[in-house]
Amino acid sequence: MEKVLEIKGITKKYKNGRGIWDINLDINKGDIFGFLGPNGAGKTTAMKIMTGMMKPDTGDVKIFEHSVIEQFEKAMKKVGCIIETAESYGYLSAYENLKLHSRFYKDIGEERIDEVLEFTGILKYKKEKVKNFSLGMKQRIGIAAAILSKPELVILDEPLNGLDVEGMIEMRKLIKHLSDTEKTTFFISSHLIHDVELTCNRIGIVYNGKLVSVDYTKNILMNYPSLENYFVSEVDKNGNV
Amino acid sequence: MEMFKGAFINEIDKMYRRKKVVVVVIISFLAIIIGQLFVFGLRSGWGLRTVSGFEFPGMVLSAFIETLLPLFATLIAIDIFSVEFNQNTLKILLVRPVSRLKLFTAKISAIGVFIMGILLLVMMLSILSGLLFNPESFTFLGLYRTVISYLVTFIPVMVFALIVVFLCNFVKSGTTVFFITIIMYIAFRGIGIVFPKYSSLFVTSMFNWYNLWIADKIHFLKLAREFLIMIGCAIMFFTAGFYLFDKKDL
């Protein structure tokens, strides 16, 4: 299997003693990987390191065989992401925000921008200033920006934040659609167990800054009645409920 | 180079769409009009001898370089760095396939374009205004001196902007950077007056180095010395600013 993402022993310790410790993980092409853990478990820290927003104390991350620390541009060339919150420039319109992103890639024209706006359901607001958008709409802009360049790997940190039920269902469909049609690999963090169960085909559980288990969803559901039971069991094994 | 180009166009685009740039242009325009009306009033009302048409752009520059230009450069640098840090919009760019060095250089280049743009705008407006109110004083030598003065003024203002950029990466809050810059500016000026021997070490005392370029006798050694001090400062503050920018965890 072709490795898309390799996380090798990353550790990051904050001044308050929290952080992540020795996380090792490989993500293969076509995976929809769910990074599951409670708030404060270290999901965002790991994702920030994966996308170069933060430097690890030790370890490295390779995306498409390029180190994020040493070959950042090459590593991020085929990556789209939302980390923590979907940010956009409030004084620009939805279209202008995406135009700004498009300048970092070749051959992304107006057609592609309209296409992703359509995908995310905000095409009719394309000329409106983002500062007037609701949280859910801003999240959609972030998702549109993440998939704009037709990335082969999409990293989404809590992508359902701010979305209503309809938005959540559409988002799930979008992920499935891109995975099926364009073989896009997804790395999705979430604290919503049910959503991860419905969306992801492989799951890693992170707890107290450590990756406690990784398995395929179908294996998990063969052995446990639900992902929630598996989660409780894995966390319990590591000394906490 | 493609990535730098994309980042640079983005910075110019964002700067253009912010209201601040429009305000800066309007203030510059008003300052020149008020200045010219003041000069015109003194001459026609009280019969005082004031500046001629081609002395007017020089007068505007000497007033501009001490007041509005450093202020504008400070505000734009804060907007491009501190505001982006604080509003969390910097991460929009940091997760794109562009290295931090290219992003930092693109931001600095955009500040450079802004400073040069304001200098050229003020130059053209003041030349036009001088010609309008006193057309008989036009000379090609005057025009040449005006153009040279405005062009070379770019260097000390850019160095000053690099110091502000360093501060923006050192201190998180834009308001704090603004006040530190004002205190620093006053301190540099004060030290320059109290200890004139050391004034050449401060970039603020080189704001009027354009006078060296348009003097009847050019002092090449002094010119070279001031130029090298400014370049040295620019390299130091660019490097220090980038070091902090690169180390920043978001």
Side-chain angles (χ1 to χ4, degrees):
Chain A
M1 273 196 194
E2 186 190 338
K3 277 185 200 166
V4 168
L5 177 71
E6 294 167 72
I7 300 175
K8 292 179 180 173
I10 56 169
T11 293
K12 176 84 182 178
K13 191 180 173 188
Y14 294 114
K15 282 176 190 161
N16 60 10
R18 283 163 62 184
I20 54 171
W21 285 269
D22 195 29
I23 291 191
N24 291 281
L25 180 65
D26 290 341
I27 305 294
N28 302 316
K29 192 171 171 61
D31 278 354
I32 304 179
F33 186 85
F35 203 42
L36 187 64
N39 293 330
K43 303 186 295 292
T44 300
T45 301
M47 291 174 106
K48 280 185 174 178
I49 292 170
M50 282 158 58
T51 51
M53 285 169 65
M54 196 178 260
K55 294 196 170 55
D57 295 338
T58 55
D60 195 4
V61 175
K62 284 189 174 182
I63 302 179
F64 299 107
E65 295 180 355
H66 299 292
S67 161
V68 167
I69 297 168
E70 280 157 18
Q71 302 161 289
F72 182 77
E73 284 187 14
K74 284 180 182 168
M76 293 300 284
K77 207 172 179 179
K78 298 176 202 167
V79 179
C81 56
I82 300 180
I83 305 296
E84 217 168 20
T85 46
E87 300 295 345
S88 44
Y89 296 99
Y91 55 88
L92 300 180
S93 69
Y95 174 81
E96 287 162 351
N97 263 286
L98 292 184
K99 180 77 197 161
L100 209 108
H101 293 284
S102 73
R103 293 196 181 109
F104 293 114
Y105 306 95
K106 279 181 188 165
D107 307 324
I108 295 180
E110 197 165 339
E111 247 174 59
R112 176 64 186 162
I113 294 175
D114 283 350
E115 194 180 15
V116 292
L117 287 171
E118 175 90 71
F119 261 152
T120 48
I122 42 173
L123 184 59
K124 58 184 168 187
Y125 308 110
K126 80 180 239 190
K127 288 184 179 164
E128 270 187 42
K129 293 262 188 291
V130 170
K131 66 180 173 196
N132 301 322
F133 282 13
S134 67
L135 183 65
M137 284 164 82
K138 283 180 186 163
Q139 190 72 5
R140 285 164 192 254
I141 284 275
I143 291 156
I147 61 170
L148 180 70
S149 61
K150 295 188 177 175
E152 289 179 30
L153 170 65
V154 178
I155 299 170
L156 301 172
D157 186 10
E158 304 279 3
L160 304 181
N161 272 356
L163 293 182
D164 50 22
V165 177
E166 195 187 350
M168 286 184 184
I169 295 167
E170 280 171 19
M171 171 58 98
R172 217 174 285 138
K173 274 188 197 164
L174 178 71
I175 292 169
K176 293 271 185 202
H177 171 77
L178 290 175
S179 172
D180 292 343
T181 56
E182 297 186 20
K183 302 284 170 240
T184 308
T185 306
F186 284 89
F187 188 103
I188 303 167
S189 85
S190 183
H191 62 277
L192 304 172
I193 292 183
H194 177 66
D195 186 71
V196 170
E197 187 178 326
L198 288 175
T199 317
C200 305
N201 57 21
R202 201 169 158 230
I203 290 161
I205 291 175
V206 61
Y207 196 82
N208 276 346
K210 288 177 185 160
L211 186 66
V212 294
S213 77
V214 179
D215 205 346
Y216 283 93
T217 314
K218 61 179 180 189
N219 295 344
I220 294 168
L221 295 178
M222 267 196 295
N223 300 317
Y224 294 86
S226 71
L227 184 59
E228 192 174 324
N229 294 80
Y230 172 70
F231 178 81
V232 172
S233 154
E234 287 302 316
V235 168
D236 195 27
K237 271 188 220 164
N238 287 274
N240 292 287
V241 184
Chain B
M1 198 60 195
E2 273 301 305
M3 294 301 140
F4 171 77
K5 197 175 143 195
F8 176 66
I9 295 171
N10 279 346
E11 291 305 324
I12 297 288
D13 193 8
K14 284 189 287 174
M15 198 196 290
Y16 168 72
R17 289 172 198 278
R18 277 181 194 127
K19 298 273 186 292
K20 242 174 233 171
V21 174
V22 181
V23 174
V24 162
V25 171
I26 292 170
I27 292 174
S28 308
F29 186 74
L30 285 177
I32 291 163
I33 298 295
I34 291 167
Q36 184 58 274
L37 287 176
F38 181 69
V39 168
F40 185 73
L42 279 182
R43 200 167 46 209
S44 57
W46 292 330
L48 294 175
R49 193 206 167 270
T50 54
V51 289
S52 72
F54 261 95
E55 283 166 347
F56 182 69
M59 190 196 86
V60 169
L61 180 62
S62 65
F64 229 71
I65 187 71
E66 301 289 345
T67 53
L68 290 179
L69 205 51
L71 178 72
F72 292 161
T74 303
L75 290 177
I76 287 297
I78 288 173
D79 228 29
I80 285 184
F81 283 92
S82 298
V83 172
E84 289 226 1
F85 284 134
N86 294 328
Q87 290 183 349
N88 226 358
T89 46
L90 191 64
K91 74 175 180 188
I92 298 175
L93 305 170
L94 287 182
V95 295
R96 296 288 155 186
V98 56
S99 69
R100 290 201 184 193
L101 178 62
K102 286 179 187 165
L103 201 58
F104 183 78
T105 314
K107 282 177 176 290
I108 298 286
S109 307
I111 295 172
V113 167
F114 168 81
I115 292 169
M116 189 49 106
I118 287 294
L119 277 169
L120 292 179
L121 178 84
V122 172
M123 181 185 79
M124 283 189 289
L125 285 176
S126 58
I127 289 176
L128 211 69
S129 165
L131 280 176
L132 217 67
F133 285 87
N134 202 355
E136 67 278 4
S137 65
F138 176 85
T139 61
F140 281 105
L141 183 65
L143 181 67
Y144 166 78
R145 284 182 164 179
T146 301
V147 173
I148 287 290
S149 302
Y150 276 82
L151 289 181
V152 298
T153 298
F154 170 77
I155 300 172
V157 182
M158 192 64 214
V159 177
F160 182 75
L162 284 170
I163 298 175
V164 181
V165 167
F166 165 75
L167 289 173
C168 289
N169 284 282
F170 190 70
V171 182
K172 205 178 173 191
S173 152
T175 316
T176 313
V177 172
F178 183 72
F179 284 111
I180 291 176
T181 307
I182 288 179
I183 292 165
M184 180 189 77
Y185 184 81
I186 294 169
F188 280 5
R189 282 281 173 209
I191 295 169
I193 292 165
V194 178
F195 304 104
K197 219 165 85 178
Y198 302 108
S199 69
S200 61
L201 293 174
F202 305 121
V203 70
T204 46
S205 60
M206 291 176 202
F207 277 174
N208 58 1
W209 88 311
Y210 65 88
N211 286 319
L212 295 174
W213 287 79
I214 56 172
D216 292 332
K217 193 183 169 207
I218 294 177
H219 298 277
F220 286 102
L221 277 177
K222 197 171 179 196
L223 206 66
R225 192 189 65 178
E226 294 211 349
F227 179 72
L228 290 173
I229 289 175
M230 283 190 282
I231 291 298
C233 271
I235 293 169
M236 270 192 321
F237 283 102
F238 180 93
T239 311
F242 173 67
Y243 176 80
L244 295 173
F245 183 78
D246 190 43
K247 291 278 168 220
K248 214 168 265 284
D249 281 345
L250 290 179

